[in-house]
Amino acid sequence: MGVGLLSIGKYVPEHVLTNADLEKRMDTSDEWIRTRTGIEERRIADNCTDTSDMAYEAAKEAIEKAGIEPEQIGMILVATVTPDQPFPSVSTMLQARLGAKNAAAMDISAACAGFMYGVVTAKHFVEAGTHDYVLVVGVEKLSKITDWKDRNTAVLFGDGAGAGIVGKVSGDRGILAFELGADGTGGEHLYQDRYLKMNGREVFKFAVRQMGQSAVNVIEKAGLSKEDVDFLIPHQANIRIMEASRERLELPPEKMSKSVHKYGNTSAASIPISLHDDIEEGRVKDDDILVLVGFGGGLTWGGICMRWGK
Ligand code: UT7
């Protein structure tokens, strides 16, 4: 028996902020944003909705879809760089709200690669036999650390949450290989003081190099080749970065997950949100070979190759 994702849940706020809305607020254009990033609109949470509220909604869907009860969850891992407050953690808030009284809980800070770090950590606890089910959430309310006067960053990000239940899966399904990495010497390129600050060009170069390489590495580690890959789910940061990884794997456009146009960059939430829509809309099916790759501030990165299905 392998270990894999049993289900995926998602939550995005209702409020849609379009490129046209941003044109009214700052010196930018729909044309610039679309051609440089692929983003058309993003979701922004209201003042009454914090990170833990979005995490709760996504987690509820993941738990329901996995067909388990909150009491069966042994651990909750929440990947976020925008918690409600430094402590208590979002994961403990979630534990209380879900009634997951048997779960240990901690947050993970690995920026946009956070969901990958969470799933890989969860896999080891399940494999070790310590927990049957681990809830992993990637969630961000980036709008609260966005400098709305900085057009270099304000147009890029969105709010949202994605969640998954990691547990035992049947046959040869589940996580086949993974890679996690970090390069702390690049921390200066993407960080938060009051607001999020970014050296876009440096992050862009790192992302193109690292996402493609991680994808290739996990495919090799799984003993597979590029031709075996059915679907690529890259971190939804920028369509140009995503396309570079797709081309590295020589996959046609329809074999890549794409939701950046609808939600912008939702950091730790982007991979599970995108995968959620791929499952719901029939692009990902049981026994498909999936490659998930992410990168983010730290700098951090992570890749997973898995055979989908329970
Ligand atoms: O999850 C990880 C987080 N970060 C990322 O993934 C971001 C990675 N980087 C990127 O996606 C890209 O570097 C950006 C989308 C941020 C920028 O694209 P670029 O093609 O690298 O543009 P650039 O930085 O070379 O800037 C080109 C020009 C600049 O003007 P000058 O200096 O050439 O006159 C910018 O001032 O575009 C200008 N610019 C804008 N213009 C209109 C920057 N932001 C905007 C904007 N609207 N919003």
Side-chain angles (χ1 to χ4, degrees), residues 28 32 36 112 151-152 198 200-201 235 237-238 240 265:
T28 190
W32 192 96
R36 299 293 176 119
C112 309
R151 68 174 184 173
N152 291 293
M198 183 175 69
R201 260 177 231 183
H235 168 42
N238 179 323
R240 288 151 61 210
N265 179 349

Side-chain angles (χ1 to χ4, degrees), residues 26-29 32-33 36-37 112 151-153 155-157 190 198-204 207 235 237-238 240-241 265 267 295-297:
M26 62 189 75
D27 180 17
T28 190
S29 66
W32 192 96
I33 303 171
R36 299 293 176 119
T37 72
C112 309
R151 68 174 184 173
N152 291 293
T153 53
V155 303
L156 303 176
F157 299 101
L190 184 51
M198 183 175 69
N199 178 346
R201 260 177 231 183
E202 281 305 316
V203 177
F204 189 94
H235 168 42
N238 179 323
R240 288 151 61 210
I241 300 172
N265 179 349
S267 186
F295 69 92

Side-chain angles (χ1 to χ4, degrees), residues 67-204:
I68 62 168
E69 296 301 323
E71 293 81 8
Q72 293 174 271
I73 298 170
M75 178 173 269
I76 300 176
L77 301 172
V78 175
T80 187
V81 293
T82 50
D84 298 37
Q85 68 274 309
F87 69 92
S89 60
V90 177
S91 51
T92 52
M93 296 168 81
L94 197 53
Q95 192 244 24
R97 208 153 149 196
L98 290 168
K101 57 179 196 241
N102 298 311
M106 66 173 171
D107 286 4
I108 293 176
S109 178
C112 309
F115 189 75
M116 311 301 284
Y117 270 71
V119 170
V120 171
T121 305
K123 162 192 154 67
H124 287 96
F125 277 101
V126 175
E127 233 162 38
T130 331
H131 303 307
D132 290 333
Y133 302 103
V134 179
L135 167 63
V136 184
V137 184
V139 55
E140 303 291 0
K141 188 178 178 184
L142 290 164
S143 58
K144 68 182 173 184
I145 62 162
T146 298
D147 179 356
W148 293 102
K149 293 192 182 72
D150 177 13
R151 68 174 184 173
N152 291 293
T153 53
V155 303
L156 303 176
F157 299 101
D159 300 334
I165 300 289
V166 174
K168 293 194 185 79
V169 292
S170 59
D172 55 0
R173 292 173 176 175
I175 297 169
L176 307 174
F178 70 87
E179 163 178 293
L180 295 179
D183 176 8
T185 64
E188 64 194 12
H189 299 312
L190 184 51
Y191 63 96
Q192 184 200 349
D193 46 24
R194 165 68 184 89
Y195 294 117
L196 185 152
K197 299 273 165 52
M198 183 175 69
N199 178 346
R201 260 177 231 183
E202 281 305 316
V203 177
F204 189 94

